[in-house]
Amino acid sequence: MPIQWFPGHMAKARREVQEQLKLVDFVIELVDARAPYSSQNPMLQEVLGQKPKLILLMKKDLADSEKTAEWIASYRKKGVQAAAVDVNQKGDIGQVIQLAKAMGQEKMDKLRKKGIKPRPARAMIVGIPNVGKSTLINRLANKKIAKTGDRPGITKQQLWIKIKKDFELLDTPGILWPKFEEEIVGYRLAAIGTIKDQLLPLQDVTAFIIRFLFEEYPNRLKERYEIEDSSDMVELFEGIGRKRGALESGGHVNFDKVADIVLQDLRSGKLGKFTLEQP
C-alpha cells in the first residue's frame, strides 16, 4: 500500500525550489548515508534537471563505511560528485567547502573571461527532512544560523547564508514527495527517523528492521538482546521485551515498548553501524 504524506509547506517549497534554481550555480543535495537511495527525493530530481550537483552522504558515522564507499564510487561513476560527511568532523566540513569551491570555479572562470568581477559561487542546499541539513549549514558558516532539531521538518522557509568568502548557500525546507510507491522505502525512512513515527505502525517497522539485521548483520541482535534468529516474529518481540523489561501488568510483553526500544537503539548507533541498501 503506497504511503502518502505531503504537508502544504512542502508543496510550496517545491515551487520555490523551482523558481530559485535559476539563481544558483549548482545544487548540494543531502542524503542519509544509511539509506542513500530511499532518502533521495525522486520528485526533486525532476525539478533539479541537469543542474550540476554535489551529493553529500550525511551521518556517515552511523553508516556501514564499506557500503558508503560503494555508494560514493557509484555516484562518481555516473559523473556526480559525492562525499560522506560527519558534521562533527572538521575535516569533513573542510572537504565540503573545497568541493563546493571547485564546483563554482567554472562559473567564476566564465565571469572573468567576460571581464565581470567574480562573485562568490551560489549553491542551493536541498534534501528530505531530518537529514542533517541545518546542522551542516551551522558548521559550514561556523555559527548558529539554521534551526536544528531531531524532528523532521524544522526548516520552513528559504534563507541565504554566506560561507566565509567562498560561496553563498540558499537553504530550503526539507521536502518529501507525495507518495512512496515502494513500501520498503517508507519502512527504511521510518527506521532511520526521517518520517514522523506516527505515519507507519512502529511494530511493523521494527519487524522489518529485525528481519533486515538478522539477514545482513546477524550478530547485532544476538549481542544486544541475547536472542537467536527465528521465523516467529512474536517470539523475537517476546525475547527482546523480556530481556529489556518491556513488560506490563500480568508480566505480558508490551510490543509497543519493544518497538520503541529497538528503533531508539538502531537510530542512536547502539545496534552498530548499518546501511539499509546498496547501489
Side-chain angles (χ1 to χ4, degrees):
M1 182 181 147
I3 301 154
Q4 300 192 48
W5 184 55
F6 203 46
H9 77 269
M10 292 191 175
K12 183 173 174 247
R14 176 192 164 144
R15 288 194 302 273
E16 287 175 351
V17 166
Q18 217 155 6
E19 288 162 12
Q20 302 284 358
L21 205 53
K22 59 183 177 289
L23 301 178
V24 301
D25 306 313
F26 63 97
V27 172
I28 299 175
E29 183 179 15
L30 274 51
V31 298
D32 192 305
R34 296 167 294 177
Y37 165 73
S38 294
S39 61
Q40 189 172 45
N41 185 339
M43 183 187 76
L44 208 50
Q45 307 316 305
E46 294 169 24
V47 175
L48 299 179
Q50 298 302 307
K51 205 77 173 177
K53 188 161 62 171
L54 166 63
I55 293 181
L56 299 181
L57 289 87
M58 303 298 291
K59 307 182 183 182
K60 77 170 192 187
D61 50 311
L62 296 173
D64 181 324
S65 54
E66 284 182 21
K67 288 187 178 162
T68 299
E70 287 174 23
W71 274 102
I72 289 173
S74 169
Y75 287 127
R76 288 180 179 167
K77 200 173 177 182
K78 293 172 188 169
V80 178
Q81 274 284 9
V85 177
D86 172 358
V87 290
N88 295 313
Q89 296 290 330
K90 283 186 179 176
D92 287 0
I93 301 302
Q95 184 189 18
V96 172
I97 291 172
Q98 290 308 312
L99 285 169
K101 276 175 72 177
M103 288 200 69
Q105 195 60 48
E106 189 181 339
K107 179 74 174 184
M108 299 311 104
D109 292 344
K110 282 180 183 174
L111 291 177
R112 277 194 192 91
K113 280 179 186 172
K114 289 179 181 176
I116 302 168
K117 187 180 176 185
R119 55 163 172 74
R122 292 177 187 146
M124 179 187 288
I125 188 163
V126 299
I128 65 173
N130 211 27
V131 77
K133 191 154 55 71
S134 298
T135 308
L136 176 66
I137 289 168
N138 290 335
R139 296 285 193 278
L140 288 170
N142 204 22
K143 57 187 172 184
K144 189 167 182 181
I145 292 170
K147 290 182 184 176
T148 61
D150 59 3
R151 288 177 296 105
I154 295 284
T155 308
K156 291 287 196 299
Q157 61 185 4
Q158 293 178 330
L159 180 69
W160 280 101
I161 299 122
K162 200 157 196 147
I163 308 300
K164 300 183 180 174
K165 292 177 182 174
D166 299 316
F167 65 101
E168 293 173 351
L169 206 51
L170 177 60
D171 187 18
T172 59
I175 311 173
L176 278 174
W177 52 110
K179 188 160 59 175
F180 302 145
E181 297 291 352
E182 298 174 79
E183 194 173 44
I184 195 168
V185 167
Y187 281 129
R188 286 170 181 157
L189 294 181
I192 59 178
T194 296
I195 59 176
K196 293 176 181 175
D197 281 346
Q198 300 91 318
L199 290 175
L200 281 174
L202 290 190
Q203 289 185 27
D204 291 356
V205 177
T206 302
F208 162 75
I209 284 302
I210 288 171
R211 185 53 50 225
F212 167 81
L213 289 174
F214 269 127
E215 286 170 7
E216 297 294 326
Y217 304 96
N219 293 321
R220 305 282 179 86
L221 295 168
K222 290 176 187 175
E223 289 167 6
R224 181 78 182 158
Y225 307 122
E226 298 172 28
I227 57 167
E228 294 298 325
D229 195 3
S230 166
S231 58
D232 187 339
M233 193 55 67
V234 172
E235 188 181 305
L236 291 169
F237 267 70
E238 290 270 355
I240 295 168
R242 296 198 181 282
K243 264 300 164 202
R244 296 299 301 273
L247 305 173
E248 49 195 24
S249 56
H252 300 294
V253 171
N254 184 321
F255 280 25
D256 286 336
K257 279 187 184 174
V258 172
D260 188 56
I261 286 166
V262 173
L263 287 174
Q264 293 311 318
D265 283 355
L266 184 85
R267 292 169 186 171
S268 65
K270 289 175 183 170
L271 283 166
K273 298 181 178 188
F274 68 93
T275 300
L276 291 166
E277 52 202 11
Q278 45 202 23

